[in-house]
């Protein structure tokens, strides 16, 4: 009843506001600061069936030392079995290790398996857990099941932070995105996350806008701040800057920090580094100047 009592989302208004904010232009010094801030917010990610320990180690080196004096990224995100590799590779650097869990990306498994999956990743040293909700349960109106699963996974996280993936591309409506955001926060999420990156559309600006409004309103109502992580389809510096503008204009400066806003991506970092090099030297460095991430 509470979730359905939330105000409905004006779809046209949300689309128009996100489009308008996406046209904001940031120049010179402000752009340089925005690029470094975006780099510091990246969750550098590899979530492929062909992932190897070597690939994860190489990604971790880049996460810690992106190159050119750029700041380190916020975290690396890997499958649970590769958490020990990532933990060893980033030790002492300040880069967090995140792991997907709970039968990622489908979420189709028993609660016992989801909790065990989470516990194993945390025991291996994961600082953060990215869980997926049961979209089937949510879309059929079984909100209590979704709530109880998030509560159980949050308990299994212990000291690790919990990011709850809504998979907004499967939620059909903006109203559902708002309801799922509130449901996850009420159940104890530390972050709400748009997508697994395996479903299209992923992190659209209107969806991120709705989630930012949700965390803002949730803090106003409860006093607890929750982070937001758009993930999937964020590939260019322009995409990243649009998201930062969205944060500033919707939730406010309190969220302009890696503690409260992340960008889930695999190929974004290279474009940020290329644009950073161009601002610093006046010369555009091609993609072959940087290591490949995907």
């Amino acid at each position: 009843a509470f979730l359905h009592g939330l105000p409905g989302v004006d779809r046209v208004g949300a689309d128009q506001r996100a489009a308008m904010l996406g046209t904001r232009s940031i120049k010179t010094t402000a752009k340089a600061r925005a690029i470094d801030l975006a780099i510091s917010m990246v969750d550098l990610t590899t979530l492929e069936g062909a992932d190897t320990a070597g690939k994860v180690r190489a990604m971790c080196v880049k996460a810690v030392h992106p190159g050119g004096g750029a700041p380190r990224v916020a975290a690396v995100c890997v499958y649970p079995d590769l958490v020990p590799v990532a933990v060893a590779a980033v030790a002492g650097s300040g880069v967090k290790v995140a792991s997907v869990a709970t039968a990622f990306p489908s979420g189709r498994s028993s609660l016992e398996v989801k909790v065990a999956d989470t516990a194993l990743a945390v025991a291996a040293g994961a600082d953060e857990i990215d869980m997926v909700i049961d979209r089937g349960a949510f879309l059929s109106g079984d909100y209590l099941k979704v709530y109880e699963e998030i509560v159980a996974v949050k308990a299994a996280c212990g000291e690790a932070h919990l990011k709850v993936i809504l998979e907004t591309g499967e939620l059909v409506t903006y109203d559902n995105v708002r309801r799922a955001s509130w449901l996850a926060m009420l159940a104890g999420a530390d972050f709400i996350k748009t997508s697994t990156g395996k479903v299209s559309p992923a992190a659209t600006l209107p969806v991120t806008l709705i989630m930012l409004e949700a965390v803002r309103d949730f803090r106003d109502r409860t006093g607890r701040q929750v982070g937001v992580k758009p993930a999937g389809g964020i590939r260019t510096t322009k995409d990243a800057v649009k998201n930062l503008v969205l944060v500033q204009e919707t939730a406010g400066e309190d969220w302009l920090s890696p503690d409260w806003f992340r960008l889930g991506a695999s190929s974004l970092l290279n474009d940020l580094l290329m644009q950073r090099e161009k601002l610093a030297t006046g010369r555009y460095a091609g993609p072959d100047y940087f290591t490949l991430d995907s």
Side-chain angles (χ1 to χ4, degrees):
F2 171 79
L3 295 178
H4 281 280
L6 292 170
V9 178
D10 176 354
R11 188 178 189 94
V12 174
D15 287 343
Q16 289 179 343
R17 178 162 174 77
M20 181 271 292
L21 291 174
T23 64
R24 293 281 178 85
S25 180
I26 297 178
K27 304 295 184 183
T28 58
T29 304
K31 185 174 181 180
R33 289 200 301 268
I35 287 174
D36 276 2
L37 180 59
I39 291 172
S40 75
M41 291 173 166
V42 167
D43 280 4
L44 194 56
T45 302
T46 183
L47 296 170
E48 302 298 333
D51 285 346
T52 64
K55 182 179 180 182
V56 169
R57 289 189 193 99
M59 181 182 73
C60 289
V61 170
K62 186 165 186 175
V64 177
H65 302 291
R72 58 176 172 76
V73 306
V76 292
C77 186
V78 297
Y79 276 115
D81 62 309
L82 289 166
V83 167
V85 176
V87 168
V90 302
S93 69
V95 173
K96 304 292 186 184
V97 175
S99 179
V100 295
T102 66
F104 177 94
S106 70
R108 309 299 306 182
S109 189
S110 68
L111 178 57
E112 291 77 13
V113 168
K114 292 178 180 181
V115 169
D117 197 24
T118 301
L120 286 170
V122 172
D127 303 294
E128 301 170 354
I129 295 296
D130 289 28
M131 77 166 286
V132 286
I133 66 167
D134 183 336
R135 281 86 74 194
F138 180 87
L139 291 170
S140 64
D142 194 351
Y143 299 144
L144 184 60
K145 178 180 179 183
V146 179
Y147 176 90
E148 289 176 343
E149 286 197 348
I150 296 171
V151 169
V153 172
K154 173 63 176 173
C157 284
E159 296 299 314
H161 282 188
L162 176 63
K163 304 193 200 87
V164 176
I165 306 171
L166 309 181
E167 197 65 289
T168 53
E170 294 184 339
L171 296 187
V172 186
T173 69
Y174 288 173
D175 285 349
N176 277 340
V177 172
R178 177 169 284 173
R179 290 185 193 116
S181 297
W182 273 84
L183 178 59
M185 293 187 292
L186 289 167
D190 298 298
F191 266 75
I192 50 175
K193 177 177 170 181
T194 61
S195 323
T196 61
K198 308 296 185 183
V199 170
S200 182
T204 67
L205 285 178
V207 159
T208 304
L209 170 69
I210 291 162
M211 293 169 65
L212 286 165
E213 289 176 342
V215 297
R216 177 199 64 200
D217 295 346
F218 183 81
R219 188 180 73 170
D220 287 346
R221 187 157 180 165
T222 68
R224 186 168 76 87
Q225 187 162 335
V226 176
V228 175
K229 177 180 173 180
I234 304 172
R235 297 185 177 91
T236 68
T237 299
K238 186 178 291 186
D239 293 335
V241 170
K242 286 179 180 179
N243 275 277
L244 295 183
V245 170
L246 211 61
V247 175
Q248 170 71 29
E249 297 296 328
T250 306
E253 289 188 9
D254 287 352
W255 272 267
L256 279 175
S257 158
D259 291 336
W260 302 109
F261 193 74
R262 299 283 182 85
L263 296 163
S266 56
S267 59
L268 170 64
L269 181 57
N270 268 6
D271 195 72
L272 288 166
L273 293 172
M274 285 190 285
Q275 293 298 329
R276 189 178 190 274
E277 183 75 8
K278 182 182 179 183
L279 283 177
T281 67
R283 297 186 303 275
Y284 189 81
D288 56 346
Y289 187 80
F290 301 96
T291 58
L292 296 175
D293 302 313
S294 60

